[in-house]
């Protein structure tokens, strides 16, 4: 029996883009994953791991919430840094709603101050999300919330611990109510618009940073070259890790190839959990000098190449 024959009025759907902006390591990727209930962006101890606008997609009641997880906003020095900051702000201006994340422990430091000042110029409803509240006393949290609200107008303020999921359900419910009326833009069973090849590359990149977060600089990237779904339902994936110098290639390989084997094992394990099929992962390491100045690399990552 349909809604029409039963006399029920069909529930109107809502759909909208929600940008999450904040300083590096404030917990944006963790919040996206908690809201979606699955891993769609990588989370690393090292800052600047989210390079492109990877979206998580949430269905809550009658609403589809499309989360834009922007690169952490910071003071840019290199060309890649400038591209990432530009992308982050374009994501904020193009969204229907903006969540500004603050680290409860860090408070309003120089970076947060600059973000709040610039976010005031974004002409959308803004929601304040104070993350990592489990690490700070209540009095300090209230003072931080008040200080942030004095700097700009927030329609709502949430205090959460994204890593444990505390307070995340309230944000999800509120976002579902606030996104504008309209049809869904993605199939209901699709959690992210990042193709699986890209997500697989992101997962391997995360494992690299977990193993080599001190030894390896950020001028490295991973590309999925081959994705073959085999007759036995398994998937064969070939990926290339690009670094800028031979010395970095040796670090990734490790003595007797031990490091890259460990990275591959960790990445394969997580990919198998996500895909729910056996995964055969093959990793290669190549030197690509000065890739940080190559416009094609930026386009591949969904970033606009800065002219200067």
């Amino acid at each position: 029996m349909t809604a029409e024959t039963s006399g029920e009025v069909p529930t109107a759907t809502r759909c909208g883009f929600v940008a999450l902006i904040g300083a590096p390591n404030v917990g944006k990727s963790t919040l996206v994953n908690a809201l979606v209930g699955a891993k769609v962006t990588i989370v690393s101890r090292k800052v600047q791991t989210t390079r492109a606008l990877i979206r998580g997609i949430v269905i809550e009641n009658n609403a589809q919430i499309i989360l834009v997880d922007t690169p952490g906003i910071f003071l840019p020095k290199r060309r890649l840094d400038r591209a990432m900051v530009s992308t982050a702000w374009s994501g904020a201006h193009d969204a229907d709603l903006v969540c500004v994340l603050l680290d409860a422990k860090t408070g309003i430091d120089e970076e947060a101050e600059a973000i709040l000042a610039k976010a005031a110029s974004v002409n959308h409803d803004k929601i304040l999300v104070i993350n990592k509240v489990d690490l700070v006393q209540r009095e300090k949290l209230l003072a931080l919330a008040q200080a942030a609200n004095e700097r700009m107008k927030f329609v709502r303020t949430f205090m959460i611990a994204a890593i444990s999921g505390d307070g995340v359900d309230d944000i999800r419910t509120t976002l579902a109510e606030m996104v504008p009326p309209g049809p869904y833009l993605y199939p209901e069973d699709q959690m992210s618009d990042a193709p699986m090849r890209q997500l697989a590359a992101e997962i391997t990149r995360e494992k690299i940073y977990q193993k080599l977060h001190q030894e390896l600089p950020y001028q490295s990237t991973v590309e999925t070259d081959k994705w073959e779904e085999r007759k036995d339902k398994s998937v064969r994936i070939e990926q290339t890790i690009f670094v800028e110098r031979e010395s970095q290639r040796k670090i990734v390989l490790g003595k007797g190839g031990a490091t890259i084997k460990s990275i591959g094992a960790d990445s394969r394990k997580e990919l198998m959990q996500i895909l729910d099929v056996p995964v055969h992962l093959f990793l290669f390491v190549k030197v690509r000098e000065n890739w940080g100045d190559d416009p094609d690399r930026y386009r591949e990552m969904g970033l606009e190449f800065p002219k200067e």
Side-chain angles (χ1 to χ4, degrees):
M1 186 169 65
T2 65
E4 285 82 359
T5 58
S6 67
E8 295 174 14
V9 178
T11 307
T13 57
R14 309 179 78 84
C15 183
F17 290 84
V18 179
L20 291 95
I21 62 173
N25 275 357
V26 77
K28 295 182 303 300
S29 295
T30 306
L31 178 57
V32 169
N33 293 336
L35 286 167
V36 174
K39 183 157 190 169
V40 290
T41 71
I42 67 170
V43 181
S44 170
R45 286 175 295 173
K46 196 166 184 180
V47 299
Q48 287 318 110
T49 51
T50 308
R51 287 184 175 166
L53 299 181
I54 298 173
R55 300 178 180 92
I57 301 168
V58 182
I59 301 287
E60 177 73 9
N61 296 328
N62 62 325
Q64 187 173 70
I65 307 159
I66 304 160
L67 300 162
V68 183
D69 179 32
T70 63
I73 294 170
F74 58 109
L75 301 172
K77 297 181 179 68
R78 301 169 301 151
R79 193 192 295 266
L80 177 60
D81 298 339
R82 293 195 293 276
M84 290 163 69
V85 171
S86 172
T87 300
W89 282 113
S90 69
H93 284 284
D94 293 342
D96 297 295
L97 301 168
V98 174
C99 288
V100 178
L101 271 74
L102 293 180
D103 186 319
K105 222 176 162 189
T106 308
I108 302 178
D109 58 5
E110 185 185 1
E111 278 185 318
E113 194 81 69
I115 288 166
L116 287 169
K118 194 161 183 179
S121 67
V122 177
N123 294 321
H124 308 301
D125 282 345
K126 291 172 280 285
I127 295 166
L128 175 64
V129 179
I130 300 176
N131 190 24
K132 307 180 188 178
V133 297
D134 50 327
L135 306 176
V136 177
Q137 292 176 331
R138 181 175 170 77
E139 294 74 26
K140 287 187 177 179
L141 292 173
L142 294 173
L144 174 58
Q146 184 178 345
N149 276 275
E150 285 171 357
R151 282 164 172 77
M152 62 184 288
K153 184 184 176 186
F154 290 103
V155 294
R156 292 289 300 273
T157 296
F158 291 93
M159 298 192 184
I160 68 164
I163 200 160
S164 68
D166 188 28
V168 172
D169 288 348
D170 291 339
I171 294 181
R172 192 188 295 111
T173 302
T174 298
L175 294 178
E177 293 168 353
M178 290 182 68
V179 291
Y184 289 178
L185 297 177
Y186 292 90
E188 287 191 44
D189 60 352
Q190 187 171 335
M191 290 185 303
S192 170
D193 78 342
M196 281 310 303
R197 291 170 72 111
Q198 182 186 340
L199 179 59
E202 288 288 286
I203 286 169
T204 298
R205 193 156 65 93
E206 176 187 35
K207 304 311 174 192
I208 293 168
Y209 291 144
Q210 286 175 351
K211 295 280 181 198
L212 303 168
H213 66 283
Q214 291 178 326
E215 296 98 318
L216 195 67
Y218 263 86
Q219 287 94 322
S220 62
T221 189
V222 178
E223 293 177 13
T224 301
D225 306 310
K226 253 186 176 178
W227 183 289
E228 181 191 351
E229 295 182 9
R230 306 172 79 172
K231 289 180 182 177
D232 63 0
K233 305 293 184 189
S234 68
V235 177
R236 178 190 168 95
I237 303 169
E238 292 183 13
Q239 295 179 329
T240 303
I241 301 164
F242 288 102
V243 294
E244 285 200 315
R245 293 190 293 280
E246 178 61 28
S247 60
Q248 294 170 359
R249 192 178 82 91
K250 288 176 180 174
I251 289 170
V252 176
L253 288 172
K255 191 173 181 180
T259 303
I260 196 165
K261 281 179 189 171
S262 178
I263 290 165
D266 289 350
S267 184
R268 182 168 56 248
K269 184 180 176 184
E270 184 155 332
L271 284 166
M272 285 174 67
Q273 289 173 344
I274 291 172
L275 298 172
D276 203 23
V277 296
V279 172
H280 309 281
L281 177 63
F282 299 87
L283 299 180
F284 307 90
V285 189
K286 292 183 182 177
V287 177
R288 181 192 270 160
E289 292 183 4
N290 301 318
W291 76 261
D293 295 322
D294 184 349
D296 289 340
R297 302 283 81 77
Y298 285 72
R299 280 192 284 275
E300 285 169 10
M301 292 190 292
L303 298 171
E304 192 171 320
F305 184 72
K307 296 291 189 288
E308 299 175 357

